[in-house]
Amino acid sequence: MEYLTNSQEDDDADEFSAVIIGETKPDLPRELITGFLCLGETSALVAPPKSGKSKLVLDMALHIEHAREWRGKSVPRPYGVLIFPRERRSQYHEDAYYQRIRDRLGGARKTFMSANFLNLKTNSGVRGVVKLVRSLEREHDCKIGLIVIDTLPMAIAESGLDENSAKDVNAVAARLQIIHDRLDVHIMLVAHTGKAGGRGPRGSSALVGHVDMVAEIAMDKTSIRTLSVTDANHLVPGEVTRFQIKGWCRPGCGWNAEWRNLRHR
């Protein structure tokens, strides 16, 4: 076996750097919602169809926007939220409008929605997310703390990838890390449960290995929804909250149209 000399090895070597680990006291987790969501992490919100995933996301977003207590958990400071809804975009607009009225959420308007194509196949696609976040922060004088992709399977499909392929899911996770390397945010990936509920998101199991926390919505026969942490790096698995989706009359309308929203139980 022939070994290269030091000079030959150095000629085409990549440049690396290293730091000493464990030398300084680590920072405490910077929480968006105490005991649930932290900056710098990625989570998966998993649930069956028609279980209220998007409603729950919006409810979180509006409470984070105003630093209001969310279902018994404190929100330490206000942050902006950026949502990439790949489905039912008009429903986000409608629900946000009437929930602001119902809950008297005046003042700050720091929850944003982007209907643009989210390309998770290329590095330039996720760098576009970084560019958008920085632009929103400058224009609206706020700090974006939460990015939501609703739903991840739809975004993966639109990007020409396969949610059942570990190779494709690993590539998506690597590109989401580009966002974390450039922005101090929490990324929430909304996904569907598999055929067997309670076993995480459908598709490749590689996704669970890349997220810091999996939260799952389960429904019983009485329409009560239970949100629970089922897998996490630093949280104790268990119930987070229970809720129902009820009908409400739109304020100011002369007819009893229903709009669905969340009530803490």
Side-chain angles (χ1 to χ4, degrees), residues 22-227:
E23 189 174 43
T24 58
K25 184 178 180 180
D27 295 331
L28 293 173
R30 290 149 300 137
E31 295 177 308
L32 284 173
I33 298 177
T34 301
F36 188 52
L37 299 184
C38 292
L39 294 169
E41 295 186 350
T42 301
S43 64
L45 175 62
V46 185
K50 307 295 188 293
S51 59
K53 298 184 296 295
S54 298
K55 307 288 186 184
L56 192 68
V57 164
L58 180 62
D59 196 50
M60 284 185 218
L62 295 180
H63 283 76
I64 290 171
E65 169 188 270
H66 288 83
R68 280 198 182 183
E69 181 182 284
W70 182 77
R71 302 181 173 271
K73 297 182 179 297
S74 66
V75 179
R77 57 158 289 188
Y79 284 94
V81 179
L82 173 60
I83 303 171
F84 287 90
R86 312 318 306 151
E87 305 168 352
R88 294 178 289 278
R89 295 162 192 160
S90 62
Q91 196 68 49
Y92 264 107
H93 273 301
E94 181 179 348
D95 287 349
Y97 179 82
Y98 289 113
Q99 185 167 346
R100 288 183 192 280
I101 294 173
R102 189 201 72 186
D103 294 344
R104 296 180 176 85
L105 299 174
R109 295 286 193 274
K110 309 297 183 185
T111 297
F112 308 96
M113 181 180 80
S114 174
N116 294 103
F117 166 55
L118 179 58
N119 188 354
L120 298 176
K121 194 173 184 178
T122 65
N123 291 348
S124 61
V126 293
R127 287 200 300 267
V129 175
V130 174
K131 183 178 180 181
L132 174 60
V133 167
R134 288 174 174 166
S135 174
L136 290 171
E137 289 179 337
R138 288 193 303 269
E139 183 177 349
H140 297 275
D141 189 26
C142 68
K143 171 72 174 70
I144 301 293
L146 175 62
I147 296 175
V148 180
I149 301 176
D150 183 7
T151 62
L152 180 65
M154 181 65 76
I156 287 176
E158 288 179 336
S159 301
L161 301 172
D162 181 3
E163 66 174 307
N164 296 304
S165 165
K167 179 180 178 182
D168 285 354
V169 170
N170 289 338
V172 168
R175 292 192 176 94
L176 293 178
Q177 186 58 47
I178 293 174
I179 298 176
H180 278 305
D181 290 343
R182 289 162 172 75
L183 299 172
D184 190 22
V185 296
H186 183 100
I187 301 176
M188 177 176 285
L189 310 173
V190 182
H192 298 106
T193 52
K195 292 181 180 179
R199 296 186 180 180
R202 77 181 190 197
S204 171
S205 60
L207 176 61
V208 175
H210 288 295
V211 299
D212 298 282
M213 183 263 287
V214 177
E216 189 163 340
I217 298 174
M219 296 189 294
D220 64 19
K221 295 180 180 180
T222 65
S223 79
I224 302 294
R225 276 82 163 164
T226 302
L227 175 69

Side-chain angles (χ1 to χ4, degrees), residues 210-262:
H210 288 295
V211 299
D212 298 282
M213 183 263 287
V214 177
E216 189 163 340
I217 298 174
M219 296 189 294
D220 64 19
K221 295 180 180 180
T222 65
S223 79
I224 302 294
R225 276 82 163 164
T226 302
L227 175 69
S228 301
V229 172
T230 57
D231 191 16
N233 288 338
H234 62 81
L235 294 177
V236 177
E239 183 178 307
V240 177
T241 187
R242 295 184 183 186
F243 63 93
Q244 283 182 304
I245 298 177
K246 294 185 177 181
W248 290 80
C249 179
R250 288 187 179 94
C253 290
W255 48 285
N256 291 325
E258 267 194 357
W259 67 289
R260 303 194 303 166
N261 221 308
L262 302 171

